[in-house]
């Protein structure tokens, strides 16, 4: 939870710093902020697309004295700036000096201050989530309801944080800026290297990091809840509390959410992805940064969980499960289609009263 909290802080600070450097208010990216020493702002009557800002510029002379100079700045819609009268030349010289001495140093330091730390925190969260899967079977029997609830709450925080980060275009742009500064090549060369099969970009790597973390959190949540929900008989009594009643609503909320988002992403993007990507769903997240590829392995885990339901549990939720299973028939992943087939020949066949279906299919 502490690692995720640090990720959230780094994410927010990085975006705020980026927006301030662009002259935008972090609370309202579409609104240009006016400096505290601005004395007035108005629209240029001759150009409705420009913003005129009258302000006081402080200049330090060679002898150390500070003088105030009134400056009229015209901010064009295109992003360019014009300065009134004789101040234009002075401002141009000042900007040239800043560009030569400060900008080249500030930009890399601004990116390096946040992005490496953010990547490390993201990787740490992912590794911790993967480790939970290894010990969940034993761990769930050794702790009580409160401890499991705290663990699930921490995983949910990781899921929510990484979901917001993967959707943040400002964060994605900052990651791409970092790659541009690190590689030192032109925009065309970098974008060509970032382009995946079908021409889909990774948005500078942000989605690849945070979608993978989100998928890991979802998989860990679903796995733990499935252990609590699919327990029966003497194993259920060993917990000492009603695990099925606790896990049922949480489990189905996560399962249905992931499957529905997977179907939407697969429908929108699958035609652009090389079919070879789907042959190893568990590894695809590191190759193509899309929801459907990063979550293919999570969907497989969900379908395996459904196979572990007893028939009463499946019958109770068949109205919600069946439409999604029908939609999954058409996806490109052979692994997912194979699991859907197993559900049809076991669970669905039992609902329809068909016996021997599994043996007939195998034969």
């Amino acid at each position: 939870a502490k690692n995720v909290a640090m990720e959230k802080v780094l994410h927010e600070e990085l975006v705020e710093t980026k927006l301030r450097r662009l002259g935008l208010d972090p609370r309202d990216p579409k609104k240009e902020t006016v400096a505290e020493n601005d004395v007035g702002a108005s629209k240029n009557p001759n150009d409705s697309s420009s913003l005129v800002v009258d302000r006081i510029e402080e200049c330090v002379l060679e002898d150390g004295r500070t003088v105030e100079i009134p400056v009229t700045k015209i901010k064009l819609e295109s992003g360019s700036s014009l300065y009134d009268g004789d101040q234009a030349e002075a401002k141009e010289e000042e900007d040239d000096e800043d560009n030569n001495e400060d900008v080249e140093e500030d930009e890399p330091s601004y990116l390096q201050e946040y992005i490496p730390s953010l990547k490390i925190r993201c990787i740490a969260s992912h590794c911790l989530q993967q480790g939970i899967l290894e010990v969940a079977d034993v761990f769930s029997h050794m702790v009580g309801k409160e401890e499991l609830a705290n663990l699930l709450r921490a995983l949910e925080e990781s899921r929510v944080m990484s979901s917001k980060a993967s959707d943040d275009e400002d964060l994605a742009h900052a990651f791409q800026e970092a790659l541009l500064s690190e590689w030192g090549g032109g925009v065309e060369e970098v974008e060509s290297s970032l382009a995946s099969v079908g021409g889909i970009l990774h948005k500078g790597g942000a989605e690849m990091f945070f979608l993978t973390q989100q998928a890991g959190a979802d998989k860990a949540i679903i796995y733990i809840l499935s252990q609590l929900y699919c327990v029966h008989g003497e194993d259920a009594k060993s917990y000492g509390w009603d695990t099925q009643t606790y896990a049922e609503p949480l489990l189905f909320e996560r399962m249905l959410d992931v499957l529905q988002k997977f179907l939407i992403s697969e429908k929108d993007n699958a035609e652009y992805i090389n079919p070879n990507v789907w042959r190893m769903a568990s590894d695809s997240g590191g190759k193509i940064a899309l929801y459907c590829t990063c979550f293919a392995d999570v969907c497989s885990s969900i379908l395996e969980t459904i196979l572990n339901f007893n028939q009463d549990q499946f019958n109770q939720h068949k109205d919600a499960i069946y439409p999604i299973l029908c939609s999954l028939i058409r996806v490109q992943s052979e692994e997912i289609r194979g699991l859907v087939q197993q559900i049809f020949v076991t669970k669905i066949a039992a609902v329809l009263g068909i016996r021997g279906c599994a043996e007939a299919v195998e034969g």
Side-chain angles (χ1 to χ4, degrees):
K2 292 181 179 179
N3 189 68
V4 173
M6 182 61 70
E7 272 189 275
K8 183 179 179 181
V9 171
L10 289 170
H11 172 198
E12 292 173 350
E13 290 184 355
L14 171 59
V15 173
E16 287 177 4
T17 302
K18 175 180 180 295
L19 293 177
R20 287 196 184 97
R21 285 177 173 271
L22 295 175
L24 300 173
D25 186 346
R27 295 166 297 180
D28 184 7
K30 295 182 180 180
K31 179 180 179 182
E32 178 175 348
T33 56
V34 179
E36 293 180 359
N37 60 344
D38 288 354
V39 297
S42 62
K43 284 285 184 179
N44 185 343
N46 297 324
D47 185 0
S48 60
S49 65
S50 62
L51 175 66
V52 179
V53 179
D54 295 319
R55 64 183 184 182
I56 301 298
E57 288 282 348
E58 290 188 355
C59 296
V60 180
L61 303 180
E62 292 183 358
D63 58 7
R65 290 180 300 157
T66 301
V67 297
E68 295 184 346
I69 303 175
V71 176
T72 299
K73 176 183 176 182
I74 303 175
K75 185 70 174 179
L76 302 179
E77 188 178 28
S78 63
S80 303
S81 298
L82 300 178
Y83 295 88
D84 182 44
D86 295 337
Q87 303 304 323
E89 181 177 354
K91 189 64 181 178
E92 182 179 355
E93 294 177 357
E94 180 183 345
D95 289 343
D96 288 342
E97 183 178 353
D98 290 341
N99 288 335
N100 292 334
E101 297 180 0
D102 298 330
V103 173
E104 291 182 359
E105 296 179 0
D106 287 346
E107 286 300 328
S109 63
Y110 138 68
L111 296 169
Q112 292 301 318
E113 182 179 355
Y114 293 103
I115 290 182
S117 297
L118 195 53
K119 288 180 178 179
I120 291 172
R121 295 287 178 180
C122 179
I123 294 170
S125 294
H126 176 68
C127 292
L128 288 170
Q129 290 163 179
Q130 293 296 108
I132 290 173
L133 297 173
E134 301 294 329
V135 299
D137 292 342
V138 177
F139 177 80
S140 61
H141 285 83
M142 296 176 62
V143 299
K145 179 179 179 180
E146 183 178 354
E147 289 79 9
L148 281 172
N150 290 336
L151 175 59
L152 290 169
R153 191 178 301 112
L155 289 169
E156 177 67 11
E157 291 175 1
S158 176
R159 185 192 70 81
V160 172
M161 190 287 304
S162 54
S163 176
K164 291 180 179 179
S166 65
D167 292 334
D168 192 330
E169 292 294 333
D170 290 313
L171 183 63
H173 186 266
F175 268 65
Q176 193 170 41
E177 282 185 294
L179 284 178
L180 288 169
S181 65
E182 289 173 3
W183 292 9
V187 175
E188 295 81 4
E189 289 82 354
V190 175
E191 290 191 347
S192 176
S193 299
L194 291 175
S196 65
V197 179
I200 303 172
L201 294 179
H202 289 281
K203 294 187 176 180
E207 284 192 341
M208 183 173 64
F209 275 89
F210 294 107
L211 277 176
T212 302
Q213 179 181 344
Q214 183 186 352
D218 267 316
K219 186 174 182 179
I221 291 171
I222 291 169
Y223 185 79
I224 292 172
L225 292 173
S226 67
Q227 294 297 306
L228 300 177
Y229 184 64
C230 297
V231 65
H232 308 291
E234 293 299 323
D235 290 337
K237 295 179 181 180
S238 66
Y239 281 93
W241 54 286
D242 191 351
T243 60
Q244 292 185 348
T245 301
Y246 171 80
E248 183 176 16
L250 301 174
L251 175 61
F252 279 90
E253 179 186 2
R254 285 288 85 235
M255 285 172 51
L256 296 178
D257 179 64
V258 170
L259 291 174
Q260 288 167 354
K261 290 179 179 178
F262 172 83
L263 285 168
I264 293 172
S265 178
E266 205 271 350
K267 180 180 179 181
D268 293 341
N269 301 302
E271 63 179 302
Y272 304 110
I273 302 173
N274 189 319
N276 291 327
V277 171
W278 300 105
R279 294 180 180 177
M280 296 185 67
S282 59
D283 296 331
S284 60
K287 300 176 182 177
I288 308 296
L290 294 169
Y291 191 97
C292 59
T293 54
C294 290
F295 278 77
D297 187 47
V298 184
C299 290
S300 297
S301 298
I302 291 173
L303 296 175
E304 290 172 354
T305 297
I306 294 175
L307 284 169
N308 290 329
F309 289 171
N310 61 35
Q311 197 59 43
D312 289 338
Q313 290 173 329
F314 182 85
N315 291 343
Q316 185 178 354
H317 296 280
K318 63 180 184 295
D319 291 343
I321 296 174
Y322 182 76
I324 294 179
L325 292 176
C326 293
S327 299
L328 289 172
I329 292 174
R330 48 160 291 277
V331 302
Q332 294 194 40
S333 171
E334 293 184 6
E335 181 181 359
I336 291 177
R337 293 202 307 268
L339 289 167
V340 171
Q341 181 192 37
Q342 292 181 42
I343 295 173
F344 267 88
V345 301
T346 54
K347 306 301 182 183
I348 301 297
V351 173
L352 298 175
I354 303 174
R355 297 181 179 179
C357 186
E359 291 77 5
V361 171
E362 292 177 358

